[in-house]
Each structure stands twice: as C-alpha cells, then as structure tokens.
Amino acid sequence: AALVGIDQAIKLWAVQNLQPVGSMPLIPHVVELHFTYNEGMAFSLLWGRQEILIAATSIGMLLIAWWLFTHCRNDQLQRWALVLVLGGGIGNLIDRIAAGKVVDYINLLFMNFAVFNFADICVCVGMALWVLAVILEERRSPEGKDGKAEGDKYRGTARICGGSRGRRPADRPLSGRGGHRPVPQRAA
C-alpha cells in the first residue's frame, strides 16, 4: 500500500506542478522531470488499447498476489520482489482505470530511453530481484530440477545442454541421491 501511495502522490504532484511547465531539470544533462501521458504499456506498446491493458494487468496482479501469499512465506527476497511488482503494477493500473492513461515523468537525458515513472521502477527492480531470488533458490536447493545433488560437477547439464546428463564418474553408483533414477513404466 505504501508503494502505491508514493506512486500516486508523485503522479498527483506531476499533474499539478510539472504538467503546466512541461519539464524541469533534476540533474542537469542527466535526468529531467518531463511530463507526459502514456496510453500504452512499456515503450508505448498496445497504444490506446486500455481494455486489453486493464484486463491483462488485473489478471497479472491477481496472479502475483496469489503467488505472493501461497508460495513466498519463507523467502524474504522473493516476497520483496513480488511486493515491488505488485505495488508498481497497481499504481499504473489505477491510472489506467481512472484516466485511461499513465502519468510518466522521468526522462533520462544521457540515453535515448522511454519516459517512465516510480511504478515502472518498482516493477523493473521487482522483476530483477525475483529473477535473482529464483537463481539463489536454485543454488540453495539440495537437488536441482534435473535430480542431481548439489555439488555434483555434472549438475544442470541436462537443462543447459538439452539432453545428456554428462558422463557418470566410475566411482558414483547408478542409484541413490546423485545417481540416475529409474524411469516409471506405463501401464499397458
């Protein structure tokens, strides 16, 4: 709720104070505050298709909220990541529902990039943290998705290389924690 409140307060300030002047420097030659409306999503994709954007964002936010409350109880990094994505997504969703467009105001002058807002920053940072959380969780788990034990020098080759698990060292058994598992037979 705090992220949504901060986002909406900044956007209200931008509408009241920045819109009349258009733009003002924040850090000269680096960042300016530049008022604009975005009727699309990132990089103005789906411009003017508010029904689709509202529906997709609403479904996405519900799925993220469900995941947050059902799968992230013990992972603080993943929880913070999804809270950021949820807060930013809801902040922009409020704009879309209320005005049919999103208020953007941060313009990077040192590169050719889209004008964006606080909610966009929350979504991007949240997604980056979520990817990091997933990578860290994969490394912490005793077994990878391919059933290999942590520390196994062939761990992950099936996923990365798309096939073989690599050669089994002669001193490692075929069964057990790090070995190959029997393939279940289908009933005839």
Side-chain angles (χ1 to χ4, degrees), residues 52-72:
I52 294 172
L53 291 171
I54 289 169
T57 304
S58 298
I59 291 167
M61 296 302 97
L62 288 171
L63 289 172
I64 290 170
W66 171 78
W67 188 267
L68 179 65
F69 291 110
T70 60
H71 290 80
C72 300

Side-chain angles (χ1 to χ4, degrees), residues 1-10 80-88 91 118-119 122:
L3 294 172
V4 175
I6 291 168
D7 175 64
Q8 291 300 299
I10 295 170
W80 279 107
L82 295 180
V83 164
L84 283 167
V85 173
L86 196 59
F118 177 76
C122 289

Side-chain angles (χ1 to χ4, degrees), residues 124-188:
C124 291
V125 170
M127 287 305 297
L129 288 175
W130 184 74
V131 168
L132 177 63
V134 169
I135 291 169
L136 292 175
E137 177 61 29
E138 178 69 19
R139 289 185 171 199
R140 279 193 303 254
S141 70
E143 292 189 13
K145 290 188 180 201
D146 62 353
K148 301 289 233 167
E150 188 173 46
D152 185 343
K153 70 178 188 178
Y154 298 106
R155 180 175 184 236
T157 56
R159 284 177 298 169
I160 296 170
C161 301
S164 169
R165 290 181 186 230
R167 296 183 184 192
R168 179 185 58 83
D171 62 339
R172 196 174 82 204
L174 288 173
S175 62
R177 182 176 160 102
H180 298 272
R181 297 199 169 120
V183 178
Q185 300 296 318
R186 290 186 182 180

